[in-house]
Amino acid sequence: MGGNPLFGVLFHWLGGLSSASFYVPYKRVKLWSWEIFWLTGGIFSWVLAPWIAAFIGTEDVLGVLSGAPASTLQWCYFFGAMWGFGGLTFGLTMRYLGVSLGMAVALGLTTAFGTLVPPIFEGEFAETLLSSTSGFVVLLGILLTLVGIAVVAMAGHAKEQEVPQEERIKTIAEFDFRKGIMVAIFSGIMSSCFAYGLAAGEPIREASLAAGTGILWQGLPVLCVVLAGGFTTNFIWCTVMIVRNKSAGQWIGRQNAATNVPPAEPGAAAIGADGTPAVQGKPPLLLNYGLCAVAGVLWYLQFFFYTMGESQMGRFGFSSWTLHMASIIIFSTLWGFALGEWRASSAKTKRLVFLGIAILVGSTGVIGYGNFLS
């Protein structure tokens, strides 16, 4: 399958920007517990947006999915559910490490596992990457991505050593490097399962193309199945937390009986999504629902653009995962600067993080060039 790798890289950059930005609206949600705003946004991310996009952008989506092999649907759903565990702890990673360092560590592991394991598992690693010049160039781009991620993570650790405790609390209220790294490792490995789910959906993409769907939109039905698995995991966990914290009333404007409930979750403070102590008052429902809708749609758009980018990457389609992760880290690091996480860092540390960003930007170009050569 051919394509235009330049367009593919641009689509992956758009997906990375969407992913890096989705958590920002959640920081403005007021007086809702984590489980309430996470599930509300998740309904937009994992249920509404994928099905609406699939019905608009593809042909006979219900017929395509109903005619897909049962094993394909089961594997897509299973890997989506496994990814859900990574997603649940992803917010916790950012809570303990901040946007820049948290995403760098978690997504570094996700990149390595999500990119390299599928061709190794299929027995195609040597044939695909080691038997041609284009394959070598793509492999070089993947390795450069991992180097860039490591450099960004080193900068994040240096920042942690330099920033005074009181300044650290201002930007990351619950910074804990050791706990954060452990959570990030788990989150990164489980999050890579999303790549396996997308790979398992190849028969669905072929059926969608056969039904008349355009090349750019062929992956949208696959997202419906994979995200259904992710929604299941998140729904069960959030329901448990809602019952435990008796927080369901927040959806209709009630405030919790307690005004300073400890964090419930994996993701943010139980009441104040921005990490501030809970206060008296009713939740601003219109604002909260609007912010969750924006966050949820932004989250979905990362994979909306991902499937478009993947369709343009030719025989090295699996390298899309690397491009996606690199783009997320580039834009999440820039968000870290915008949110003041690097404000008190030394010039040396800032130069280090910008070096990491430059390597990541360069790696996307190298991967795109390798796809072009093929």
Side-chain angles (χ1 to χ4, degrees):
M1 181 178 64
N4 187 324
L6 175 60
F7 285 148
V9 171
L10 292 176
F11 286 136
H12 284 305
W13 277 21
L14 288 174
L17 176 60
S18 298
S19 179
S21 304
F22 91 92
Y23 205 79
V24 176
Y26 282 142
K27 289 177 173 289
R28 299 293 179 262
V29 173
K30 301 295 181 183
L31 299 175
W32 267 8
S33 302
W34 173 86
E35 63 271 15
I36 297 297
F37 75 72
W38 189 254
L39 184 57
T40 302
I43 291 172
F44 287 92
S45 301
W46 310 316
V47 181
L48 296 178
W51 281 100
I52 291 173
F55 273 112
I56 292 175
T58 69
E59 299 293 333
D60 191 23
V61 59
L62 294 180
V64 166
L65 291 177
S66 62
S71 59
T72 296
L73 297 174
Q74 290 168 0
W75 280 116
C76 288
Y77 181 87
F78 171 78
F79 284 125
M82 293 300 99
W83 160 83
F85 288 108
L88 280 170
T89 51
F90 193 66
L92 189 59
T93 299
M94 288 188 287
R95 173 179 157 191
Y96 288 139
L97 296 180
V99 174
S100 300
L101 181 57
M103 284 198 172
V105 176
L107 296 184
L109 290 166
T110 302
T111 301
F113 280 88
T115 302
L116 299 178
V117 170
I120 292 173
F121 182 77
E122 296 288 341
E124 300 174 351
F125 181 84
E127 177 185 350
T128 303
L129 290 174
L130 303 180
S131 61
S132 65
T133 301
S134 57
F136 273 113
V137 173
V138 169
L139 180 59
L140 174 63
I142 293 171
L143 295 177
L144 276 177
T145 300
L146 296 177
V147 171
I149 292 169
V151 172
V152 172
M154 288 168 57
H157 184 61
K159 177 194 69 172
E160 185 266 334
Q161 299 296 319
E162 295 171 351
V163 176
Q165 181 69 21
E166 59 273 14
E167 183 68 23
R168 201 179 303 156
I169 292 174
K170 289 180 183 178
T171 55
I172 311 172
E174 298 179 72
F175 189 94
D176 189 319
F177 186 78
R178 179 177 298 179
K179 186 183 296 185
I181 288 295
M182 293 176 63
V183 175
I185 290 173
F186 176 83
S187 176
I189 293 174
M190 297 305 293
S191 293
S192 66
C193 288
F194 206 103
Y196 311 155
L198 294 176
E202 181 60 29
I204 298 175
R205 284 191 287 273
E206 293 175 353
S208 188
L209 286 171
T213 298
I215 291 177
L216 279 178
W217 321 109
Q218 61 181 295
L220 298 183
V222 181
L223 289 178
C224 294
V225 184
V226 177
L227 291 176
F231 176 73
T232 302
T233 307
N234 283 268
F235 178 79
I236 292 173
W237 179 254
C238 288
T239 299
V240 170
M241 301 309 300
I242 289 168
V243 172
R244 179 184 300 176
N245 297 326
K246 300 179 181 179
S247 54
Q250 294 173 21
W251 271 317
I252 57 174
R254 295 176 185 170
Q255 63 186 70
N256 271 13
T259 58
N260 193 9
V261 183
E265 69 107 282
I271 299 297
D274 60 356
T276 58
V279 295
Q280 292 281 3
K282 292 186 177 181
L285 293 184
L286 184 61
L287 175 66
N288 284 0
Y289 279 113
L291 289 168
C292 288
V294 171
V297 172
L298 279 174
W299 189 96
Y300 169 74
L301 285 177
Q302 67 172 308
F303 288 113
F304 175 83
F305 288 118
Y306 178 95
T307 57
M308 295 172 67
E310 186 182 36
S311 72
Q312 301 298 301
M313 302 312 290
R315 62 189 291 252
F316 298 116
F318 67 90
S319 66
S320 290
W321 192 252
T322 303
L323 290 169
H324 183 63
M325 294 296 112
S327 300
I328 293 174
I329 296 171
I330 290 168
F331 288 110
S332 65
T333 304
L334 295 177
W335 265 119
F337 276 95
L339 295 173
E341 293 183 6
W342 300 84
R343 182 172 55 241
S345 299
S346 68
K348 179 181 177 181
T349 298
K350 291 176 182 177
R351 285 195 298 269
L352 187 62
V353 73
F354 279 116
L355 173 62
I357 293 175
I359 294 173
L360 289 171
V361 172
S363 73
T364 65
V366 172
I367 292 171
Y369 180 65
N371 280 271
F372 174 77
L373 290 178
S374 69

